[in-house]
Amino acid sequence: MRRSSDLQPEIADESAWWRDAVFYQVYVRSFADANGDGVGDLDGIRSRLGYLELLGVDALWLTPFFTSPMADHGYDVADPRDVDPLFGDLAAFDRLVTEAHAHNLKITIDLVPNHTSDRHAWFQAALRAGPGSVERDRFVFRDGGGFDGSVPPNNWSSQFGGPAWTRVADGQWYLHLFAPEQPDLNWDNPEVAADLARTLRFWLDRGVDGFRIDVAHGMAKPYGLPNIDPRVELGSGILHDNALDPRFDNDGVHEIHRMIRKVIDEYPGRMAVGEIWVKDDERYARYLRPDELHLGFSFGLLQAPFDADAVRSAVEHGLGAVRSVGAPATWTLSNHDVPRHVTRYGGGDLGARRARAMTLVELALPGVVYLYNGEELGLPDVELPEWALQDPIWLRSGHTLRGRDGCRVPVPWEGDTPPFGFTQGVTTWLPQPNEWAGLTAESQLEDPESMLSFYRHALELRKSQPAFNGDELEWYGAPPGCFAFRRKGGGLICALNTSGGPVPLPPGEILLASGPMDGNQLPPDTAVWLV
Ligand code: NOJ
């Protein structure tokens, strides 16, 4: 793996492999199905390792494959130390780790410490044991308000819509920041931390190279569970201002991350990345102090429209936020929770052109990149029929929000008709559109103009060229709607044009362009790398 020349000595240590790695997110349900049931699984991933090696990524992030009733497709974990039969078993996991390592691919897995499934043995015991019991103390149970306790303990809402509290048969309420099937754990109870440490060691001993920590800004709850101030407009979406939201980013969370880090540090060369939806740069950086997480997703790029000023601001925030703590920035354009970027940028040919341009921008940046499975094929979001929708958001919003299924449709591998080699069976858990015949991996592999070839080429250059060295950028002057920056260490120049017309190219020799050049001009919706 390429290493920056100007890294601090301990950072240049090869065991810190993640500092400039390209991760590839495998949404396990949708990547590849080996057993014919229409749902992706661990053996399916193993069968595609050659493809991933060819693509040129360094590591995989596998979304949850643990025992789960699948109320939130695996983010409701009933047993964090076993594999759900839908996805395989522990032997299949061990096979995958061994073979991935043989393909030079690291394996990182999801960890869900904020909540469990309502089918977890602890929650079932808590329901049976009743108010005031040690079993209930592992979760956040409270009495309700009003003369008969029928008013929820506070005014918090769930991230999936509706109240964050559900009442049980004996009249108490339990907290769930997500679906009712995902009760929040009580992190003030030492048993909870001890159990997570056990889970970490369980998978580290099986050879995983790291973790992605779900809702890493959650877990700790404020004393007394105060109401959200009803006068405060929190804003929509997940990246609202947590400074005003008592549900997230409470100071107690850092002690939890220090505990996690201590365990991971027992295993050299392993890492953790946090899902941190915290807007304030200084508060975000706290999660990346040297004794907490190694990496934290920076979601600014994923939220920026296709506009040079907005993208530049996201880049500056992403870099500025991590500078004080010496952590690498971590970039991503798509994941399983947001519409795919081809669609966000306008869809069709325009969306694909802009997606290529933004991929060049992302891969030119210092730090770590997370790709989402299927983006290398240029997959758009799918407008699914209502009967097919499965995301709990659809149900909990009273069928007003369609949720995240559109970006989770199974990957098309080969052939002319669904299921496009995703499964040996007939159907897939979400239907694939017929039009994806032109987007299969098979149809793109040998086509030098395809999105897949473009990703392979860009990843290969990023890994092999010294022009990508260094942790800092300098910005050039650029026409309105455009920007150009230079990697200070290696000298790579990246220019983006989001204006309506062509602009002069910065000086230099073209290393890679996201689309055809117009003489010495950079056309609209295009980016270029120069040296
Ligand atoms: C964030 C995950 O990315 C999302 O898919 C999940 O629904 C929530 N956390 C709850 O675990």
Side-chain angles (χ1 to χ4, degrees), residues 61 72 75 112 115 160 178 182 212 214-215 275 277 336-337 404 408:
W61 151 30
D72 185 21
Y75 282 97
V112 191
H115 43 266
F160 292 163
F178 295 89
Q182 293 166 296
R212 176 265 189 188
D214 190 61
V215 203
E275 182 199 28
W277 289 100
H336 65 295
D337 289 331
R404 302 159 292 179
R408 298 175 173 180

PDB file of all heavy atoms in Angstrom, residues 61 72 75 112 115 160 178 182 212 214-215 275 277 336-337 404 408, ligand 1:
ATOM      1  N   TRP A  61     -16.025  -3.619   4.474  1.00  0.00           N
ATOM      2  CA  TRP A  61     -16.865  -3.433   5.669  1.00  0.00           C
ATOM      3  C   TRP A  61     -18.135  -4.232   5.407  1.00  0.00           C
ATOM      4  O   TRP A  61     -18.866  -3.945   4.469  1.00  0.00           O
ATOM      5  CB  TRP A  61     -17.153  -1.948   5.903  1.00  0.00           C
ATOM      6  CG  TRP A  61     -18.468  -1.666   6.610  1.00  0.00           C
ATOM      7  CD1 TRP A  61     -19.124  -2.452   7.509  1.00  0.00           C
ATOM      8  CD2 TRP A  61     -19.293  -0.492   6.443  1.00  0.00           C
ATOM      9  NE1 TRP A  61     -20.296  -1.847   7.929  1.00  0.00           N
ATOM     10  CE2 TRP A  61     -20.414  -0.656   7.295  1.00  0.00           C
ATOM     11  CE3 TRP A  61     -19.176   0.678   5.687  1.00  0.00           C
ATOM     12  CZ2 TRP A  61     -21.425   0.314   7.384  1.00  0.00           C
ATOM     13  CZ3 TRP A  61     -20.193   1.631   5.783  1.00  0.00           C
ATOM     14  CH2 TRP A  61     -21.297   1.450   6.632  1.00  0.00           C
ATOM     15  N   ASP A  72     -34.719  -4.396  11.319  1.00  0.00           N
ATOM     16  CA  ASP A  72     -34.005  -3.311  10.636  1.00  0.00           C
ATOM     17  C   ASP A  72     -32.846  -3.957   9.854  1.00  0.00           C
ATOM     18  O   ASP A  72     -31.718  -3.475   9.879  1.00  0.00           O
ATOM     19  CB  ASP A  72     -33.498  -2.281  11.657  1.00  0.00           C
ATOM     20  CG  ASP A  72     -32.846  -1.056  11.011  1.00  0.00           C
ATOM     21  OD1 ASP A  72     -33.118  -0.798   9.815  1.00  0.00           O
ATOM     22  OD2 ASP A  72     -32.072  -0.367  11.702  1.00  0.00           O
ATOM     23  N   TYR A  75     -29.607  -4.621  11.854  1.00  0.00           N
ATOM     24  CA  TYR A  75     -29.181  -3.643  12.866  1.00  0.00           C
ATOM     25  C   TYR A  75     -29.995  -3.818  14.162  1.00  0.00           C
ATOM     26  O   TYR A  75     -29.945  -2.975  15.051  1.00  0.00           O
ATOM     27  CB  TYR A  75     -29.268  -2.212  12.328  1.00  0.00           C
ATOM     28  CG  TYR A  75     -28.100  -1.891  11.414  1.00  0.00           C
ATOM     29  CD1 TYR A  75     -28.227  -1.984  10.032  1.00  0.00           C
ATOM     30  CD2 TYR A  75     -26.858  -1.552  11.931  1.00  0.00           C
ATOM     31  CE1 TYR A  75     -27.148  -1.718   9.200  1.00  0.00           C
ATOM     32  CE2 TYR A  75     -25.777  -1.288  11.111  1.00  0.00           C
ATOM     33  CZ  TYR A  75     -25.923  -1.369   9.746  1.00  0.00           C
ATOM     34  OH  TYR A  75     -24.846  -1.117   8.933  1.00  0.00           O
ATOM     35  N   VAL A 112     -22.915  -3.043  16.777  1.00  0.00           N
ATOM     36  CA  VAL A 112     -24.119  -2.246  17.050  1.00  0.00           C
ATOM     37  C   VAL A 112     -24.297  -2.078  18.567  1.00  0.00           C
ATOM     38  O   VAL A 112     -25.102  -2.777  19.179  1.00  0.00           O
ATOM     39  CB  VAL A 112     -25.368  -2.902  16.408  1.00  0.00           C
ATOM     40  CG1 VAL A 112     -26.566  -1.948  16.460  1.00  0.00           C
ATOM     41  CG2 VAL A 112     -25.094  -3.314  14.969  1.00  0.00           C
ATOM     42  N   HIS A 115     -27.956  -0.403  20.743  1.00  0.00           N
ATOM     43  CA  HIS A 115     -29.209  -1.104  21.014  1.00  0.00           C
ATOM     44  C   HIS A 115     -29.056  -2.584  20.693  1.00  0.00           C
ATOM     45  O   HIS A 115     -28.083  -2.997  20.056  1.00  0.00           O
ATOM     46  CB  HIS A 115     -30.361  -0.496  20.196  1.00  0.00           C
ATOM     47  CG  HIS A 115     -29.984  -0.200  18.774  1.00  0.00           C
ATOM     48  ND1 HIS A 115     -29.533   1.043  18.361  1.00  0.00           N
ATOM     49  CD2 HIS A 115     -29.959  -0.967  17.667  1.00  0.00           C
ATOM     50  CE1 HIS A 115     -29.260   1.021  17.076  1.00  0.00           C
ATOM     51  NE2 HIS A 115     -29.506  -0.199  16.617  1.00  0.00           N
ATOM     52  N   PHE A 160     -36.750   6.757  13.286  1.00  0.00           N
ATOM     53  CA  PHE A 160     -37.550   6.165  12.212  1.00  0.00           C
ATOM     54  C   PHE A 160     -38.992   6.666  12.228  1.00  0.00           C
ATOM     55  O   PHE A 160     -39.862   6.109  11.572  1.00  0.00           O
ATOM     56  CB  PHE A 160     -37.560   4.633  12.330  1.00  0.00           C
ATOM     57  CG  PHE A 160     -36.228   3.982  12.047  1.00  0.00           C
ATOM     58  CD1 PHE A 160     -35.988   2.676  12.456  1.00  0.00           C
ATOM     59  CD2 PHE A 160     -35.234   4.639  11.354  1.00  0.00           C
ATOM     60  CE1 PHE A 160     -34.775   2.057  12.186  1.00  0.00           C
ATOM     61  CE2 PHE A 160     -34.012   4.031  11.085  1.00  0.00           C
ATOM     62  CZ  PHE A 160     -33.780   2.737  11.506  1.00  0.00           C
ATOM     63  N   PHE A 178     -34.406   4.068  17.701  1.00  0.00           N
ATOM     64  CA  PHE A 178     -34.745   3.613  16.341  1.00  0.00           C
ATOM     65  C   PHE A 178     -36.082   2.860  16.422  1.00  0.00           C
ATOM     66  O   PHE A 178     -36.997   3.363  17.066  1.00  0.00           O
ATOM     67  CB  PHE A 178     -33.567   2.809  15.771  1.00  0.00           C
ATOM     68  CG  PHE A 178     -32.345   3.691  15.593  1.00  0.00           C
ATOM     69  CD1 PHE A 178     -31.421   3.859  16.623  1.00  0.00           C
ATOM     70  CD2 PHE A 178     -32.167   4.423  14.424  1.00  0.00           C
ATOM     71  CE1 PHE A 178     -30.334   4.717  16.482  1.00  0.00           C
ATOM     72  CE2 PHE A 178     -31.083   5.283  14.279  1.00  0.00           C
ATOM     73  CZ  PHE A 178     -30.165   5.426  15.308  1.00  0.00           C
ATOM     74  N   GLN A 182     -35.761  -2.300  18.544  1.00  0.00           N
ATOM     75  CA  GLN A 182     -34.343  -2.005  18.823  1.00  0.00           C
ATOM     76  C   GLN A 182     -34.203  -1.252  20.162  1.00  0.00           C
ATOM     77  O   GLN A 182     -33.884  -0.060  20.181  1.00  0.00           O
ATOM     78  CB  GLN A 182     -33.753  -1.167  17.677  1.00  0.00           C
ATOM     79  CG  GLN A 182     -33.666  -1.935  16.363  1.00  0.00           C
ATOM     80  CD  GLN A 182     -33.399  -1.022  15.165  1.00  0.00           C
ATOM     81  OE1 GLN A 182     -34.221  -0.178  14.844  1.00  0.00           O
ATOM     82  NE2 GLN A 182     -32.260  -1.180  14.526  1.00  0.00           N
ATOM     83  N   ARG A 212     -16.778  -1.252  12.210  1.00  0.00           N
ATOM     84  CA  ARG A 212     -17.501  -0.007  11.953  1.00  0.00           C
ATOM     85  C   ARG A 212     -18.529   0.071  13.088  1.00  0.00           C
ATOM     86  O   ARG A 212     -19.285  -0.876  13.311  1.00  0.00           O
ATOM     87  CB  ARG A 212     -18.181  -0.066  10.582  1.00  0.00           C
ATOM     88  CG  ARG A 212     -19.058   1.149  10.247  1.00  0.00           C
ATOM     89  CD  ARG A 212     -20.495   0.885  10.593  1.00  0.00           C
ATOM     90  NE  ARG A 212     -21.409   1.921  10.108  1.00  0.00           N
ATOM     91  CZ  ARG A 212     -22.687   1.982  10.410  1.00  0.00           C
ATOM     92  NH1 ARG A 212     -23.233   1.062  11.177  1.00  0.00           N
ATOM     93  NH2 ARG A 212     -23.441   2.941   9.935  1.00  0.00           N
ATOM     94  N   ASP A 214     -21.732   1.389  14.790  1.00  0.00           N
ATOM     95  CA  ASP A 214     -23.037   1.969  14.478  1.00  0.00           C
ATOM     96  C   ASP A 214     -23.408   3.017  15.536  1.00  0.00           C
ATOM     97  O   ASP A 214     -23.208   2.788  16.732  1.00  0.00           O
ATOM     98  CB  ASP A 214     -24.059   0.825  14.479  1.00  0.00           C
ATOM     99  CG  ASP A 214     -25.411   1.235  13.950  1.00  0.00           C
ATOM    100  OD1 ASP A 214     -25.484   1.643  12.779  1.00  0.00           O
ATOM    101  OD2 ASP A 214     -26.404   1.140  14.703  1.00  0.00           O
ATOM    102  N   VAL A 215     -23.983   4.144  15.085  1.00  0.00           N
ATOM    103  CA  VAL A 215     -24.439   5.198  16.001  1.00  0.00           C
ATOM    104  C   VAL A 215     -23.387   5.464  17.091  1.00  0.00           C
ATOM    105  O   VAL A 215     -23.696   5.464  18.289  1.00  0.00           O
ATOM    106  CB  VAL A 215     -25.804   4.868  16.651  1.00  0.00           C
ATOM    107  CG1 VAL A 215     -26.498   6.152  17.109  1.00  0.00           C
ATOM    108  CG2 VAL A 215     -26.721   4.105  15.742  1.00  0.00           C
ATOM    109  N   GLU A 275     -19.580   5.729  13.069  1.00  0.00           N
ATOM    110  CA  GLU A 275     -20.634   6.494  12.390  1.00  0.00           C
ATOM    111  C   GLU A 275     -20.954   7.672  13.303  1.00  0.00           C
ATOM    112  O   GLU A 275     -21.590   7.499  14.346  1.00  0.00           O
ATOM    113  CB  GLU A 275     -21.873   5.622  12.188  1.00  0.00           C
ATOM    114  CG  GLU A 275     -22.981   6.354  11.445  1.00  0.00           C
ATOM    115  CD  GLU A 275     -24.353   5.718  11.624  1.00  0.00           C
ATOM    116  OE1 GLU A 275     -24.607   5.072  12.665  1.00  0.00           O
ATOM    117  OE2 GLU A 275     -25.190   5.882  10.734  1.00  0.00           O
ATOM    118  N   TRP A 277     -22.633  11.197  13.440  1.00  0.00           N
ATOM    119  CA  TRP A 277     -23.434  12.286  12.859  1.00  0.00           C
ATOM    120  C   TRP A 277     -23.388  13.468  13.815  1.00  0.00           C
ATOM    121  O   TRP A 277     -24.349  13.730  14.534  1.00  0.00           O
ATOM    122  CB  TRP A 277     -24.870  11.828  12.624  1.00  0.00           C
ATOM    123  CG  TRP A 277     -25.058  10.845  11.517  1.00  0.00           C
ATOM    124  CD1 TRP A 277     -25.195   9.504  11.648  1.00  0.00           C
ATOM    125  CD2 TRP A 277     -25.152  11.117  10.104  1.00  0.00           C
ATOM    126  NE1 TRP A 277     -25.359   8.925  10.406  1.00  0.00           N
ATOM    127  CE2 TRP A 277     -25.339   9.891   9.446  1.00  0.00           C
ATOM    128  CE3 TRP A 277     -25.096  12.297   9.333  1.00  0.00           C
ATOM    129  CZ2 TRP A 277     -25.478   9.778   8.060  1.00  0.00           C
ATOM    130  CZ3 TRP A 277     -25.225  12.196   7.954  1.00  0.00           C
ATOM    131  CH2 TRP A 277     -25.413  10.943   7.333  1.00  0.00           C
ATOM    132  N   HIS A 336     -25.683   2.649   2.666  1.00  0.00           N
ATOM    133  CA  HIS A 336     -26.985   1.977   2.625  1.00  0.00           C
ATOM    134  C   HIS A 336     -28.101   2.793   3.266  1.00  0.00           C
ATOM    135  O   HIS A 336     -29.218   2.297   3.385  1.00  0.00           O
ATOM    136  CB  HIS A 336     -26.856   0.619   3.330  1.00  0.00           C
ATOM    137  CG  HIS A 336     -26.557   0.784   4.798  1.00  0.00           C
ATOM    138  ND1 HIS A 336     -25.380   1.354   5.260  1.00  0.00           N
ATOM    139  CD2 HIS A 336     -27.276   0.502   5.902  1.00  0.00           C
ATOM    140  CE1 HIS A 336     -25.397   1.391   6.570  1.00  0.00           C
ATOM    141  NE2 HIS A 336     -26.541   0.883   6.993  1.00  0.00           N
ATOM    142  N   ASP A 337     -27.808   4.011   3.708  1.00  0.00           N
ATOM    143  CA  ASP A 337     -28.822   4.833   4.368  1.00  0.00           C
ATOM    144  C   ASP A 337     -29.268   6.037   3.551  1.00  0.00           C
ATOM    145  O   ASP A 337     -30.160   6.771   3.978  1.00  0.00           O
ATOM    146  CB  ASP A 337     -28.274   5.355   5.714  1.00  0.00           C
ATOM    147  CG  ASP A 337     -28.147   4.262   6.765  1.00  0.00           C
ATOM    148  OD1 ASP A 337     -28.929   3.293   6.720  1.00  0.00           O
ATOM    149  OD2 ASP A 337     -27.264   4.374   7.632  1.00  0.00           O
ATOM    150  N   ARG A 404     -35.157   3.526   2.818  1.00  0.00           N
ATOM    151  CA  ARG A 404     -33.839   3.380   2.209  1.00  0.00           C
ATOM    152  C   ARG A 404     -33.713   2.201   1.251  1.00  0.00           C
ATOM    153  O   ARG A 404     -32.618   1.876   0.805  1.00  0.00           O
ATOM    154  CB  ARG A 404     -32.808   3.260   3.338  1.00  0.00           C
ATOM    155  CG  ARG A 404     -32.813   4.448   4.287  1.00  0.00           C
ATOM    156  CD  ARG A 404     -32.196   4.115   5.631  1.00  0.00           C
ATOM    157  NE  ARG A 404     -33.023   3.173   6.377  1.00  0.00           N
ATOM    158  CZ  ARG A 404     -32.714   2.690   7.576  1.00  0.00           C
ATOM    159  NH1 ARG A 404     -31.599   3.048   8.164  1.00  0.00           N
ATOM    160  NH2 ARG A 404     -33.525   1.835   8.188  1.00  0.00           N
ATOM    161  N   ARG A 408     -30.674  -0.195  -1.856  1.00  0.00           N
ATOM    162  CA  ARG A 408     -30.251  -1.497  -1.332  1.00  0.00           C
ATOM    163  C   ARG A 408     -30.584  -2.657  -2.275  1.00  0.00           C
ATOM    164  O   ARG A 408     -30.518  -3.822  -1.881  1.00  0.00           O
ATOM    165  CB  ARG A 408     -30.922  -1.740   0.018  1.00  0.00           C
ATOM    166  CG  ARG A 408     -30.539  -0.713   1.069  1.00  0.00           C
ATOM    167  CD  ARG A 408     -31.293  -0.895   2.364  1.00  0.00           C
ATOM    168  NE  ARG A 408     -30.785   0.012   3.399  1.00  0.00           N
ATOM    169  CZ  ARG A 408     -31.260   0.072   4.633  1.00  0.00           C
ATOM    170  NH1 ARG A 408     -32.268  -0.709   5.002  1.00  0.00           N
ATOM    171  NH2 ARG A 408     -30.737   0.905   5.514  1.00  0.00           N
TER     172      ARG A 408
HETATM  173  C1  NOJ B   1     -27.218   3.402  11.347  1.00  0.00           C
HETATM  174  C2  NOJ B   1     -27.245   2.353  10.291  1.00  0.00           C
HETATM  175  O1  NOJ B   1     -26.393   2.718   9.242  1.00  0.00           O
HETATM  176  C3  NOJ B   1     -28.690   2.217   9.865  1.00  0.00           C
HETATM  177  O2  NOJ B   1     -28.822   1.423   8.725  1.00  0.00           O
HETATM  178  C4  NOJ B   1     -29.474   1.670  11.034  1.00  0.00           C
HETATM  179  O3  NOJ B   1     -30.842   1.620  10.681  1.00  0.00           O
HETATM  180  C5  NOJ B   1     -29.316   2.556  12.267  1.00  0.00           C
HETATM  181  N1  NOJ B   1     -27.957   2.941  12.497  1.00  0.00           N
HETATM  182  C6  NOJ B   1     -29.813   1.852  13.502  1.00  0.00           C
HETATM  183  O4  NOJ B   1     -28.946   0.825  13.876  1.00  0.00           O
END
